[in-house]
Amino acid sequence: MNIVVCIKQVPDSDKVTIDRETNRLNRAGVPSIINPFDENALEMALQLKDEHGGKVTVISMGPPQAEQALRTALSHGADEAILISDRKFGGADTWATSYTISLAIKKLEDVDLILFGKQAIDGDTAQVGPGVAHFLDIPMLTYAKSVEVTSNTFKVNKVTEDGYEIWDIDKPAALTVVKEANQLRMPSLKKKMAAKKAEIPCWGFDELQPDEEKIGLAGSPTKVSKIFAPPVKLNKEILSGEPSDMITELIQKLKEQHVL
Amino acid sequence: MSTTKELWVYAEQRDGKLAGVVRELLSQGQILAEKAGFTLAAVLPSANGAELCQELYNFGAKKVYTIDDPKLADYQNDYYSRAIAQLINEKKPEIVLYGATTIGRSLAPTVAVMVDAGLTADCTELDFDAETGNLLQTRPAFGGNIMATIICPDHRPQMSTVRSNVFKKTKISDNEAGEQIDYSVDLSGVPERMRRLESVHESDTNSIDLNAAQFIVSGGRGVGKPENFKIIYDFAAELGAAVGASRATVDAGWISHHHQVGQTGKTVCPVVYIACGISGAIQHLAGMQSSDMIIAINKDPDAPIFDVADFGLIGDLHEIVPEFRKQIAAFKA
Ligand SMILES: Cc1cc2nc3c(=O)[nH]c(=O)nc-3n(C[C@H](O)[C@H](O)[C@H](O)COP(=O)(O)OP(=O)(O)OC[C@H]3O[C@@H](n4cnc5c(N)ncnc54)[C@H](O)[C@@H]3O)c2cc1C
Ligand SMILES: Nc1ncnc2c1ncn2[C@@H]1O[C@H](COP(=O)(O)O)[C@@H](O)[C@H]1O
């Protein structure tokens, strides 16, 4: 079984801060990581491979340094990696990203399953998985927690707001994977060494031959018009001291404000 | 570009019941439509559309496009996206709003690529710029560290998803007038590539729904151990509040994930949110920051939760929360 996992390299958002004067992200020194949800997609692929054999290919679109995320994925057990990178792809929103990634997947042979993280933590859009699936014209389910393989279909447990659903979906299929699915295995030392040396092909404009109007900034319907720091609360009151006094004071204030 | 100058709200239904977020989207949609001079319409794919129309009129829809088709009885991504895309291509609305539910987050991005439209996810503010015709879509990015306003100048429709409890719902009356327009779609060419075999609802019967709650008491790692969540539950019961939790406590298995508030949990907007032993990581704030009032209880005066709190109580929650409960009980008596 051939499985493709799409992984995105993202800044570790726990460590991103904003410069309140310039409204720019302080990205210097912020480490890049594999989008946490993509780790779950990768582990799902590795487990399916353990059980049914086949090959796991990881794909990432991004600047040249995204190669690092791909090497990390190889050290965890992925078999092959492909980087999608070209200056012309820069500034892509989820629409243009979906289109570009779909062109790369079209070049691969006999893909049975394409896995995505539930969402990327930098943009939190959760749009690339459904987008790629549509460009490839294959069925797609979001929020997958587990998968079973049957002869021509996958049986998928999908999380909903208040429970779950079981779906039967034809091959080839696309799924976005939730965190509850699993936890990514540790990298092995041997694979780490191999990952360092692995050849990672880079596919750009010439390899993918995209429609020029559908890529990069120009191919992106959405544009960022403004970036600003989230507003802070001004009139806050901080109380300390004896619990009973604090609560008495608080309840008095809540009464004044007609909350109680 | 010729359009019918309509603003649409996707009227999500499950088992014949409208999703709560639909009413909120209509209320916000009405404000935007007025500003823009558009007609507010709802789009309702289902098997029993007529029954739900009145509710949609009551929240501001002037028109409801019903699409009745047996294939649309339950949500199925291929059928639904095709139906909505067909309607969009024919009627060319200016704006389409969807709830950022598990359904909306599957439907909206699929439709976006089908109809060549931009889509902005999880908007927390929507405004209309009458000069440019742009929908100003503001949303948090990088886990809530920054806010970005997104526009979509050259593509129509402009589409956004919005999580529940971001906008307030306002019913106009119980008998608003509106027009139902039956629309039929041709789904014969859409292959059946996926089938729902089972649908299971796991409701947490002994707890109040976080989405509907006026008061929420949330516990974080500061609660200390699973048994101590009793302090939180008891206080919540006294207040008539729902119980929320940080991801750290969910990950530790102290409480079920249905209670998780935040970026990867629920977005809530109660009248009062009481955070007990929660540090206030940006991902947690993303889910509760728009609460009307925030009360934080934490023993660390530098905890970031105090940055968003209206009232901050510095101290041990194991002393403060039971005291709070006692005094609330006395107040009620
Ligand atoms: C991609 C991603 C998504 C995430 N999504 C979410 C999400 O949806 N929701 C979410 O909540 N988190 C989320 N997180 C996790 C988030 O970053 C934090 O790790 C988490 O919110 C911390 O939970 P906490 O505040 O309970 O724990 P801690 O950060 O450990 O804070 C515990 C707090 O309790 C205080 N405390 C300790 N003892 C006491 C006491 N006796 N009395 C009073 N105070 C006390 C401490 O001072 C401290 O401030 C996400 C993280 C990532 C990377
Ligand atoms: N640049 C990218 N390269 C590879 N995969 C991506 C990229 N962007 C998004 N994805 C995949 O799509 C998922 C959803 O991303 P997003 O729509 O940006 O929230 C991620 O979890 C990844 O699996």
Side-chain angles (χ1 to χ4, degrees):
Chain A
M1 192 166 55
N2 289 326
I3 308 173
V4 171
V5 184
C6 292
I7 65 171
K8 186 176 189 185
Q9 190 181 46
V10 295
D12 189 345
S13 66
D14 274 345
K15 304 193 176 63
V16 179
T17 54
I18 184 164
D19 182 326
R20 287 199 172 260
E21 280 183 1
T22 60
N23 281 341
R24 281 170 188 275
L25 288 179
N26 295 321
R27 281 216 204 189
V30 174
S32 287
I33 53 172
I34 294 182
N35 176 40
F37 298 108
D38 302 353
E39 292 191 348
N40 304 111
L42 177 58
E43 179 61 30
M44 184 178 274
L46 295 172
Q47 285 178 11
L48 287 168
K49 181 190 147 188
D50 289 346
E51 220 175 300
H52 304 277
K55 190 172 79 178
V56 174
T57 306
V58 282
I59 295 189
S60 189
M61 169 168 154
Q65 60 265 31
E67 200 191 273
Q68 195 46 52
L70 291 168
R71 289 196 195 280
T72 306
L74 291 172
S75 74
H76 286 280
D79 300 289
E80 282 174 24
I82 298 161
L83 176 68
I84 306 173
S85 192
D86 196 304
R87 290 224 154 167
K88 291 184 175 157
F89 299 156
D93 74 352
T94 55
W95 199 106
T97 301
S98 304
Y99 170 70
T100 312
I101 291 178
S102 74
L103 293 181
I105 296 176
K106 276 184 189 161
K107 281 170 69 90
L108 304 175
E109 267 158 42
D110 298 326
V111 174
D112 299 291
L113 182 64
I114 307 168
L115 299 179
F116 300 85
K118 161 183 131 160
Q119 65 200 61
I121 61 164
D122 53 353
D124 279 321
T125 70
Q127 285 166 198
V128 170
V132 171
H134 178 69
F135 281 118
L136 295 173
D137 195 16
I138 60 172
M140 181 277 315
L141 289 167
T142 47
Y143 305 107
K145 193 171 148 186
S146 65
V147 196
E148 268 172 55
V149 182
T150 71
S151 56
N152 293 311
T153 67
F154 295 103
K155 215 168 145 189
V156 177
N157 179 320
K158 168 191 158 69
V159 177
T160 61
E161 272 81 1
D162 65 349
Y164 64 91
E165 294 172 349
I166 307 291
W167 284 77
D168 188 42
I169 185 169
D170 293 352
K171 281 181 197 169
L175 304 175
T176 76
V177 180
V178 295
K179 182 183 147 293
E180 295 84 52
N182 53 47
Q183 197 172 3
L184 180 59
R185 62 194 62 186
M186 299 300 284
S188 76
L189 196 59
K190 202 170 125 210
K191 291 200 167 110
K192 252 185 175 161
M193 303 293 288
K196 268 195 193 133
K197 285 184 253 148
E199 281 284 335
I200 297 185
C202 174
W203 293 353
F205 189 89
D206 294 339
E207 285 79 13
L208 300 183
Q209 299 278 320
D211 178 341
E212 213 151 339
E213 288 178 357
K214 294 184 176 173
I215 56 164
L217 194 59
S220 300
T222 58
K223 318 273 180 218
V224 176
S225 89
K226 195 171 86 181
I227 284 185
F228 56 100
V232 283
K233 279 240 162 107
L234 294 173
N235 302 322
K236 60 169 160 255
E237 288 195 51
I238 302 293
L239 312 176
S240 59
E242 274 304 308
S244 58
D245 300 341
M246 275 194 273
I247 296 295
T248 309
E249 189 179 343
L250 178 63
I251 288 186
Q252 185 56 36
K253 298 229 151 93
L254 296 181
K255 275 194 267 183
E256 281 164 21
Q257 299 193 15
H258 306 289
V259 171
L260 286 179
Chain B
M1 211 183 301
S2 127
T3 69
T4 43
K5 303 288 181 204
E6 288 184 348
L7 185 156
W8 289 3
V9 167
Y10 170 65
E12 176 179 326
Q13 58 85 24
R14 283 178 218 204
D15 306 323
K17 273 182 32 202
L18 285 175
V21 67
V22 173
R23 297 175 182 84
E24 298 158 16
L25 291 176
L26 285 170
S27 299
Q28 180 66 18
Q30 208 194 358
I31 297 170
L32 295 169
E34 220 158 89
K35 214 165 173 180
F38 297 163
T39 304
L40 180 62
V43 182
L44 175 62
S46 74
N48 63 339
E51 280 174 32
L52 298 172
C53 287
Q54 187 58 49
E55 181 76 352
L56 298 168
Y57 303 147
N58 291 347
F59 281 85
K62 294 281 176 276
K63 279 187 189 177
V64 178
Y65 294 100
T66 47
I67 317 175
D68 283 0
D69 190 302
K71 284 185 170 149
L72 300 175
D74 296 314
Y75 185 78
Q76 203 260 26
N77 200 54
D78 285 338
Y79 297 147
Y80 266 65
S81 55
R82 191 64 66 94
I84 301 293
Q86 256 184 46
L87 190 61
I88 288 177
N89 283 333
E90 202 162 303
K91 306 280 177 199
K92 304 205 181 311
E94 283 281 326
I95 295 172
V96 187
L97 308 180
Y98 305 78
T101 58
T102 53
I103 287 179
R105 293 192 108 177
S106 168
L107 175 67
T110 309
V111 171
V113 290
M114 280 180 164
V115 304
D116 203 356
L119 173 65
T120 307
D122 289 1
C123 298
T124 51
E125 259 178 73
L126 291 173
D127 198 359
F128 187 79
D129 180 351
E131 223 160 88
T132 57
N134 286 334
L135 182 64
L136 305 177
Q137 310 166 92
T138 299
R139 67 184 305 272
F142 291 96
N145 286 288
I146 58 164
M147 304 296 290
T149 302
I150 312 285
I151 55 172
C152 188
D154 309 316
H155 292 246
R156 291 294 179 271
Q158 312 175 71
M159 310 212 299
S160 331
T161 67
V162 179
R163 297 175 76 165
S164 41
N165 289 313
V166 169
F167 295 126
K168 298 256 183 277
K169 59 175 180 221
T170 351
K171 194 191 249 189
I172 302 171
S173 80
D174 280 324
N175 49 5
E176 286 298 299
E179 181 190 3
Q180 182 189 348
I181 300 159
D182 274 315
Y183 184 80
S184 56
V185 287
D186 180 11
L187 297 174
S188 58
V190 186
E192 195 221 43
R193 305 186 293 189
M194 54 185 147
R195 296 146 294 272
R196 192 174 81 179
L197 306 177
E198 218 181 302
S199 169
V200 179
H201 302 279
E202 298 170 317
S203 60
D204 219 344
T205 44
N206 56 5
S207 72
I208 299 169
D209 181 13
L210 277 174
N211 284 319
Q214 300 273 307
F215 288 78
I216 294 175
V217 181
S218 270
R221 198 169 2 225
V223 169
K225 49 185 180 194
E227 306 85 270
N228 289 353
F229 247 97
K230 188 171 182 318
I231 307 176
I232 304 292
Y233 277 107
D234 288 349
F235 178 40
E238 192 64 59
L239 259 182
V243 173
S246 72
R247 178 161 135 188
T249 61
V250 172
D251 283 353
W254 299 358
I255 188 164
S256 96
H257 70 88
H258 297 294
H259 295 269
Q260 184 178 319
V261 171
Q263 187 190 9
T264 41
K266 296 195 164 80
T267 304
V268 298
C269 186
V271 176
V272 182
Y273 186 91
I274 307 177
C276 310
I278 293 178
S279 59
I282 198 87
Q283 295 90 355
H284 187 81
L285 302 186
M288 43 64 78
Q289 220 161 6
S290 53
S291 305
D292 292 349
M293 175 186 284
I294 295 169
I295 300 174
I297 302 171
N298 197 304
K299 66 179 183 192
D300 172 8
D302 297 324
I305 190 76
F306 289 126
D307 294 341
V308 301
D310 298 275
F311 292 104
L313 276 59
I314 300 171
D316 189 341
L317 74 91
H318 299 101
E319 294 169 18
I320 296 176
V321 175
E323 179 66 30
F324 206 164
R325 179 180 143 219
K326 209 174 83 193
Q327 292 203 28
I328 288 287
F331 170 78
K332 282 181 12 191

